[in-house]
Amino acid sequence: MNPERRYCELRTEGRTFEGEALVYGDEAVFSWGRERIEPGAFAPVGDVILNRQHDRKTPLARTGGGGLELNDTPEALRIHASLPETEAANDTLTLVRAKILRGLSIEFHATAERGEGDLRIIEKARLVGVAVVDEPQYPQSLVQAREAEMRAKRLRTIRGSIPAKQALECRCSPGDCVEAVFESGALDDAIDPEQAKDALAVVGEYANAIGSRKRRSLRFWSDGEGGLQYALDIPDTARGRALLETMDAADVIGRPVVDAGASEFVLEAGRATYTKAHVRALTIGPTDASAGWTPIRFKSGAGDDAPGAAPQRRRTRLWL
C-alpha cells in the first residue's frame, strides 16, 4: 500500500536542510473531512530516508549516521539534514535556492486511528520517508495534491446511512427475522478503525468487493443521532461503472453485514433489535425489501463526506 503524505516548511543554509516536517495540532482539510496527526504518533522513529519529490532513486540523506537527524517534540517533527557531494544533492540545493522546491513532505503508514465526526485522528503511524518537494508550505496545497490523486482513481463518491431506532425491512437469519432495529449507538463499533478495520463494501457477494475501510475508499462516521453514515468512493472499474448504471435505473441501498457472534440483539416476533452490531461489510445494490431504508445518493460539495465475540460460539453473518 502506498504511504500517505503531508507537506510542511523547509529552510536551507549551505549544504544543510532543516525544518518542521509536521506541526502537531494542524488540521488538513479534504473533501471527505479533516485530518490531524497526534503528537508522538511516529515514536519510535526508525530508518527514514530523505529524497526528492518522493523518488527513492534520489536519496539525499538517511537516519542512522547518513546525515539525517529527526527531532520529534510535542510541538513538531523537525529534521536536520547534511547533504553529501552528489549530483542529486547539488541539483536539489539549486532547486531549493531558486525556490522551485519549497517544502518538506512526510511519507507514512497509519497503524492506529480514530474518528470524531468528520475528523480523522491518526494516533500511531510508521514514518518511512521525508521528501523535499515543490508543494507550498500551507495545508491547502495538500488538498490540491490529494484531490488530484483521488479524482484519478474514482468515478464518483456515494453516501448513505443506517438509521437508529427505525424498523428496517430485511431478509436474514436467524429464524424468521424480517425486520431489524438498531438502538442508538448500536453501530458505534463501525466508527472505531480497530473494530471495523477489515470492513468491505461489496456488490452482492464478498468476491465482488468494490471498496474497503483499510484502503479508506469506505468510510464510516456517526450521524449524530445514534445511527451510522458512510461514504464510498466508486472505483473506475467495470464493476464500479456497472453500479453507477444500476443507480441510474433503480434505487440502491447499502445494508450492513452483521457478525451475529460479535453482536448483541434480541429476536422477537420476527424483529431483531440490536444494542450492539458488529458490521463486517456493506452490501450495495437494489432490493425489494427496502422499507425504512434511505436510498444511496451521490455526494455533493466539498466537506460533504466525513470521514469481540463470546468464546466458543459459532459466528454467522447476517445480511440485512
Side-chain angles (χ1 to χ4, degrees):
M1 184 172 61
N2 292 330
E4 300 180 69
R5 299 168 180 172
R6 303 293 179 270
Y7 305 94
C8 275
E9 183 183 3
L10 170 68
R11 298 180 294 276
T12 182
E13 182 176 353
R15 297 193 67 81
T16 64
F17 290 145
E18 64 178 16
E20 295 170 338
L22 178 72
V23 177
Y24 294 119
D26 281 358
E27 291 184 359
V29 179
F30 307 106
S31 66
W32 46 262
R34 299 168 294 136
E35 185 178 82
R36 185 179 74 230
I37 299 177
E38 296 278 66
F42 297 115
V45 176
D47 186 23
V48 178
I49 293 177
L50 176 71
N51 58 55
R52 188 175 70 213
Q53 294 287 74
H54 298 291
D55 183 0
R56 291 188 173 271
K57 296 179 181 178
T58 58
L60 304 172
R62 190 172 193 163
T63 55
L68 177 61
E69 298 177 2
L70 299 177
N71 182 20
D72 195 6
T73 72
E75 293 77 30
L77 174 66
R78 298 186 173 92
I79 79 158
H80 183 278
S82 298
L83 271 59
E85 293 280 355
T86 64
E87 182 177 352
N90 292 338
D91 289 346
T92 301
L93 285 166
T94 299
L95 292 170
V96 170
R97 290 164 183 158
K99 300 188 182 301
I100 296 172
L101 300 181
R102 296 181 291 169
L104 292 172
S105 168
I106 59 172
E107 303 177 43
F108 66 92
H109 294 288
T111 58
E113 60 182 85
R114 70 180 189 273
E116 293 180 2
D118 70 340
L119 176 63
R120 178 197 186 197
I121 302 173
I122 298 174
E123 300 172 314
K124 287 292 180 183
R126 181 169 61 88
L127 185 66
V128 296
V130 180
V132 185
V133 297
D134 58 351
E135 296 292 339
Q137 65 191 35
Y138 300 103
Q140 188 61 31
S141 67
L142 174 60
V143 173
Q144 296 166 359
R146 183 68 170 269
E147 290 302 312
E149 179 182 1
M150 290 175 69
R151 283 194 299 270
K153 295 180 179 179
R154 71 182 181 192
L155 292 170
R156 296 288 299 269
T157 297
I158 57 177
R159 279 191 56 173
S161 63
I162 305 171
K165 297 184 177 181
Q166 183 171 322
L168 304 169
E169 186 179 1
C170 66
R171 294 174 180 171
C172 60
S173 59
D176 57 353
C177 178
V178 294
E179 245 180 15
V181 174
F182 298 98
E183 295 292 351
S184 181
L187 295 158
D188 283 356
D189 274 4
I191 303 169
D192 186 334
E194 285 303 308
Q195 293 291 331
K197 62 182 179 181
D198 296 320
L200 300 175
V202 302
V203 179
E205 300 177 353
Y206 272 83
N208 296 327
I210 201 169
S212 70
R213 182 70 178 273
K214 189 172 292 184
R215 299 287 180 86
R216 285 196 59 77
S217 53
L218 173 64
R219 301 174 291 280
F220 296 116
W221 68 97
S222 171
D223 67 359
E225 298 179 355
L228 185 70
Q229 292 195 30
Y230 57 87
L232 173 65
D233 297 332
I234 304 301
D236 189 3
T237 62
R239 190 173 297 138
R241 292 188 289 273
L243 176 60
L244 295 186
E245 289 176 1
T246 300
M247 292 182 67
D248 287 338
D251 285 343
V252 170
I253 307 297
R255 294 162 295 160
V257 182
V258 176
D259 186 337
S263 302
E264 298 172 2
F265 63 94
V266 174
L267 180 62
E268 185 176 2
R271 172 183 288 186
T273 301
Y274 288 85
T275 54
K276 176 183 177 182
H278 187 71
V279 176
R280 300 296 300 273
L282 287 174
T283 178
I284 309 294
T287 178
D288 59 355
S290 61
W293 298 94
T294 301
I296 290 174
R297 63 182 176 84
F298 290 114
K299 183 182 82 68
S300 60
D304 193 30
D305 172 0
Q312 297 181 349
R313 291 182 62 183
R314 180 178 179 271
R315 293 190 175 188
T316 58
R317 291 172 179 165
L318 308 185
W319 297 74
L320 299 186

